[in-house]
């Protein structure tokens, strides 16, 4: 049976190779292609030339939304981050609805369409501080300080890593002497 296996495989390969038909069809040329060609193009972010003006504009748009008590906007390069203040007793779903309404208002604005909207109380207050530092003439230092504070809150503290302070025996002896006198 082994002596017939090799010739059978060769015969199959030859039969398969001879079965291909020469086609006159080549790949369609672009002139003969009747399909519609559309290039995908996402709208580009509008360049922000005056960050203060854009921040004021987006803050006003956000404040005009019902349920928003106040808004603070920080523009960094070509991105606007807007923190909104809402009543503290609102349910999560209502806060989400207000945030969505602000995003809808921004959608119609050329600068607001790519803005980031947050209703987190801590982030909104930090944006307010960054904005105040920006207006005081220290944009980079204020931004760096607030980012350090935010990251400090995010990084977890693991109890296993906490080392209790070892008392300094020289200090404790001095304190005892001072207490006796």
């Amino acid at each position: 049976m082994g002596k017939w296996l090799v010739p059978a495989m060769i015969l199959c390969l030859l039969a398969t190779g001879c079965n291909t038909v020469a086609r006159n069809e080549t790949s369609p040329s672009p002139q003969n292609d009747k399909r519609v060609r559309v290039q995908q193009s996402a709208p580009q972010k509008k360049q922000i030339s005056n960050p203060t003006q854009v921040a004021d504009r987006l803050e006003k748009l956000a404040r005009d939304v019902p349920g928003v008590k106040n808004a603070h906007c920080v523009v960094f390069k070509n991105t606007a981050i807007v923190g909104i203040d809402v009543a503290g007793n609102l349910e999560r779903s209502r806060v989400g609805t207000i945030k969505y309404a602000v995003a809808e208002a921004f959608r119609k604005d050329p600068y607001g369409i790519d803005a980031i909207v947050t209703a987190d109380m801590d982030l909104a207050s930090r944006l307010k501080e960054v904005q105040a530092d920006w207006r005081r003439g220290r944009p980079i230092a204020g931004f760096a300080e607030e980012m350090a504070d935010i990251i400090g809150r995010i990084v977890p503290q693991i109890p296993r890593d906490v080392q209790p302070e070892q008392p300094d025996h020289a200090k404790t002896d001095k304190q005892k002497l001072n207490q006796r006198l």
Side-chain angles (χ1 to χ4, degrees):
M1 183 165 139
K3 60 183 177 181
W4 292 102
L5 184 62
V6 174
M9 287 181 65
I10 292 174
L11 185 62
C12 286
L13 286 173
L14 286 174
T16 308
C18 294
N19 197 19
T20 59
V21 178
R23 297 184 182 186
N24 289 334
E25 298 176 24
T26 59
S27 63
S29 67
Q31 292 97 7
N32 296 337
D33 194 4
K34 305 275 193 274
R35 293 178 287 177
V36 176
R37 300 270 182 196
V38 178
Q39 286 201 355
Q40 295 290 330
S41 60
Q44 296 294 318
K45 278 186 172 183
K46 187 157 173 124
Q47 288 298 108
I48 297 175
S49 59
N50 188 341
T52 307
Q53 185 180 17
V54 170
D56 292 342
R57 178 182 177 143
L58 294 179
E59 285 175 6
K60 183 186 178 319
L61 277 173
R63 275 191 227 108
D64 289 344
V65 172
V68 176
K69 294 192 306 187
N70 205 354
H72 305 286
C73 180
V74 173
V75 177
F76 186 71
K77 290 192 179 186
N78 204 27
T79 302
I81 305 170
V82 181
I84 58 173
D85 293 332
V86 295
N89 59 351
L90 292 177
E91 291 182 16
R92 182 173 45 101
S93 61
R94 179 69 181 133
V95 173
T97 303
I98 293 170
K99 198 165 69 168
Y100 187 81
V102 171
E104 278 184 329
F106 285 177
R107 184 166 178 73
K108 298 171 187 151
D109 187 84
Y111 295 108
I113 193 158
D114 293 312
I116 299 167
V117 181
T118 182
D120 180 50
M121 293 182 299
D122 188 43
L123 282 179
S125 67
R126 293 194 184 283
L127 287 173
K128 181 179 178 181
E129 291 175 24
V130 169
Q131 184 183 48
D133 286 335
W134 191 284
R135 291 189 174 157
R136 277 188 239 127
R138 37 185 319 258
I140 296 173
F143 183 74
E145 289 168 3
E146 292 307 317
M147 286 305 296
D149 288 345
I150 290 169
I151 291 170
R153 286 179 176 239
I154 293 171
V155 174
Q157 183 64 53
I158 302 171
R160 184 183 311 265
D161 295 341
V162 175
Q163 297 292 328
E165 278 190 41
Q166 299 296 326
D168 188 7
H169 295 292
K171 280 187 179 178
T172 55
D173 291 339
K174 241 184 204 181
Q175 288 173 349
K176 287 180 185 177
L177 283 173
N178 288 338
Q179 287 176 354
R180 290 184 187 162
L181 296 175

